[in-house]
Amino acid sequence: MMIPRCNIRNIGISAHIDAGKTTLSERILYYTGKIHKIEEVDSDGATMDYMELEREKGITITSAAVTYFWDNKQINLIDTPGHVDFTIEVERSLRVLDGAIIVLCWVAGVQSQSITIDRQMKRYQVPRIAFINKLDRIGANPFRVVDALRGKLGLNPVVLQYPIGLEDEFVGVIDLIEMTANYFQGDNGEIWQKQPIPFGLQQPAQIARDKLLDTISIHSEAMMAKLLAGEEIPQQMIWDAIRQGTLTLEFTPVLMGSAVKNKGVQNLLDAIALYLPSPIDRGGITVTDITENKLVQVYPLPDAAVVAMAFKLIDDEFGQLTYTRLYSGVLKPGDKLYNSRTQKQVRVNRLVRIEVDKRQELEIAEAGEIVGLIGVNCASGDTLCSLGTKMSLEGIFVPEPVMTIAITPKSQEDIEKISRALQRFTSEDPTLHVTTDPESHKTLMSGMGELHLEIYLERMKREYHALVYVGVPAVAYRETITQAANFDFTFKKQTGGAGQFAHVVGRLEPCEEAFIFENRVMVGEIPQQFNSLR
C-alpha cells in the first residue's frame, strides 16, 4: 500500500555520544510495534546497533535505517553515531533527510558534538526538534539546557512541556498545549495516561504556556489577535503555528523526558508527526542540468523523471546495498538509471526497504522515499537519474582525515585480503583514505581519529582474517645546504697493487632548482672511465 507523500517523514536522530540517542530509538521502535522487547545498549545491544562491534563496545558505529508507523504517518528513521570519529554518518544522513531530532543530556547540555551536529543541520537547512533526555538523573534542570540551545547554538527554542518532578521524582510531563499531565505506566511505560495537572504545578505550567504562546504568536497574526482580545487559543492553531515556525527554521520545539525510564517518548512521536516536514513540505531541490549547465528545480512528483542520491553503501549478501533518497519519479526493480558521475547506465536488480539488518522487498518506490538498491554499482554521493536525463545533485561534504597510521601485512597471504578489505572500506566510507608512501612504500590509512581507524583494523581482522602490523608513518628526513662552500679533498687508498688516488676540487652553492650539477673538468685531464658524472 502506497502512503501519501504528505504522510511520510524522513528523519534522523543525532546527538553527542552518551546522550541516550540509541536508547531513545529503541523505545520508539517498541512503542510503534516494530519490536516486542526493549534491549539496552549496555546489555544485549539495542536493535539499531546490529553490528557485532557495536554491541561489544556499546556505541553506534554506523547509521541504521528503519521504517515505522505512528498516527497514520510513515516514519523513515535513521539512527546516527554520536562519536565524532564517525561524523560522516551524520553528515550524509542529514544531507538527504527532511527533519531531525537532536538529543541532549541535561547533565552535559550542549556538548562539542552537539555543536558539530547543529552546524551540519544548518548546512542542509534541516528543521529539528530538541529532546532533553535523562530528567531522572541527579541535578536535572532542563531549562539550563534550553538556555544553552539559545546561547551556544543560536536557536529559538520553544518549550512545549513542563516536567512533573525531577531526578528520582520525575514521573511525567505537562503538555503546555493541551494542558494535561502525561504519565507513563506499565513495565515499559506503554500505558500512556493523560490526567489533570497537579494543583501545585498549575501556576508554573500556566506561566510556561503563556511564554510559549507569546513566542509563537509573533509569527501568527490570528493568534496575536486572539491573545489581545483575551480569547481562548484553539489547540489546532497552536499546532499549526509551531509547525510553520519549525519548517521555516524560526523555532526549535523542545520536548523532555527520560528514555531509559520510558517517559516522554510517545509525546516525541506525536511531535514528529505534527511538526517535522514531509517531502512535499520540503518542496523542490536545486540540481544541475549537466546538458545545459544550468540550475533547475526538481519536485517530489511521481510522474517526473527519476532523480535520486546514493548516500550510503554497505556490502550485502546479494551484492552492494545502496541507501538511496528518491527525490522525484518512481522506481521499480529492473529499471535502468544513469549515473551522472560515471556517465554509465546501471540496473536496479532489486528494490528493498531497509529494516536495520533486514530487507523487505518492494515492487515500487515513489518520490520522497528512502529505499535500498541492490546490484547498482555506484559511489557514495552519486546522482542516479532516468535515462535521457542528466542531472547532478550537490555532493556530500566530506571532512579531511586528521590521523594517519602505517600498516604492513604480517604474511604474504594477508596482502590480497588487505587489498580487498581496503577497497571495500574506502568505497563505504569517504573519510577513510588509503595511500602508499612513495619512499617507505608502506600502506597509509588516514581517518577521523584513533577509534575510527581501530574499528576498521578490527573489521579487517574479523571479516577478512587479515593481520597487519601497525605503526606510525615513517618520515624521511633530509638536509640541504644554506650557504656556499668550497671543498678540496684528496683520496688515497693502497691495497697492495697499483692503489687508488683522486683529488677532487669543487664548490657547493644553494639554488632554487631541485639539483644542478656542472662538470668543469677539461677534456683529456681525466681518463673517460673516471669522468662519468653528468
Side-chain angles (χ1 to χ4, degrees), residues 471-516:
V472 296
V475 178
Y477 293 98
R478 293 181 175 85
E479 294 181 350
T480 188
I481 61 171
T482 58
Q483 60 186 18
N486 296 317
F487 59 88
D488 185 338
F489 181 74
T490 301
F491 174 76
K492 296 178 181 179
K493 187 173 182 181
Q494 189 69 37
T495 58
Q500 296 176 341
F501 176 86
H503 186 194
V504 183
V505 179
R507 177 179 175 80
L508 291 173
E509 296 180 359
C511 64
E512 294 183 0
E513 291 81 357
F515 180 74
I516 296 177

Side-chain angles (χ1 to χ4, degrees), residues 33-237:
K34 291 297 294 186
I35 59 176
H36 303 287
K37 179 185 177 183
I38 295 177
E39 301 287 358
E40 302 297 348
V41 174
D42 54 0
S43 57
D44 294 333
T47 304
M48 301 294 269
D49 288 346
Y50 64 92
M51 291 176 60
E52 184 181 351
L53 276 170
E54 290 179 315
R55 296 177 183 273
E56 287 181 9
K57 294 183 176 292
I59 61 171
T60 302
I61 295 172
T62 184
S63 55
V66 70
T67 298
Y68 67 86
F69 294 86
W70 181 266
D71 191 25
N72 296 319
K73 304 293 191 300
Q74 175 184 312
I75 317 293
N76 300 318
L77 171 70
I78 296 182
D79 178 30
T80 62
H83 200 288
V84 67
D85 283 20
F86 310 106
T87 189
I88 187 61
E89 295 288 332
V90 185
E91 187 78 38
R92 58 185 170 191
S93 296
L94 291 175
R95 170 64 182 84
V96 300
L97 293 172
D98 299 321
I101 302 164
I102 181 169
V103 182
L104 302 147
C105 168
W106 92 261
V107 179
V110 174
Q111 298 169 269
S112 58
Q113 185 64 1
S114 308
I115 297 172
T116 300
I117 292 166
D118 174 70
R119 189 184 305 121
Q120 292 167 322
M121 290 181 178
K122 288 175 178 175
R123 178 181 296 130
Y124 300 116
Q125 297 290 292
V126 178
R128 92 283 295 270
I129 293 172
F131 182 78
I132 302 175
N133 194 21
K134 303 185 180 182
L135 293 196
D136 59 303
R137 297 279 295 275
I138 296 176
N141 182 0
F143 301 105
R144 190 185 67 170
V145 182
V146 173
D147 292 338
L149 285 170
R150 183 180 294 107
K152 292 186 177 181
L153 301 185
L155 301 176
N156 184 15
V158 176
V159 181
L160 306 185
Q161 296 174 333
Y162 194 89
I164 304 175
L166 289 171
E167 303 177 351
D168 58 350
E169 296 181 356
F170 175 64
V171 293
V173 293
I174 295 172
D175 186 321
L176 298 177
I177 300 173
E178 297 181 350
M179 289 302 280
T180 57
N182 291 245
Y183 300 96
F184 308 90
Q185 308 297 329
D187 295 337
N188 296 307
E190 68 275 11
I191 304 174
W192 183 14
Q193 297 179 337
K194 296 185 178 184
Q195 299 179 10
I197 300 173
F199 178 76
L201 293 177
Q202 289 179 0
Q203 184 176 359
Q206 187 60 50
I207 294 172
R209 175 185 167 87
D210 292 342
K211 185 176 181 180
L212 164 65
L213 296 178
D214 184 59
T215 302
I216 65 175
S217 65
I218 297 174
H219 304 279
S220 172
E221 294 184 3
M223 187 181 299
M224 179 70 75
K226 284 186 174 292
L227 282 175
L228 293 176
E231 299 177 12
E232 184 66 27
I233 309 297
Q235 293 180 15
Q236 189 62 50
M237 180 179 287

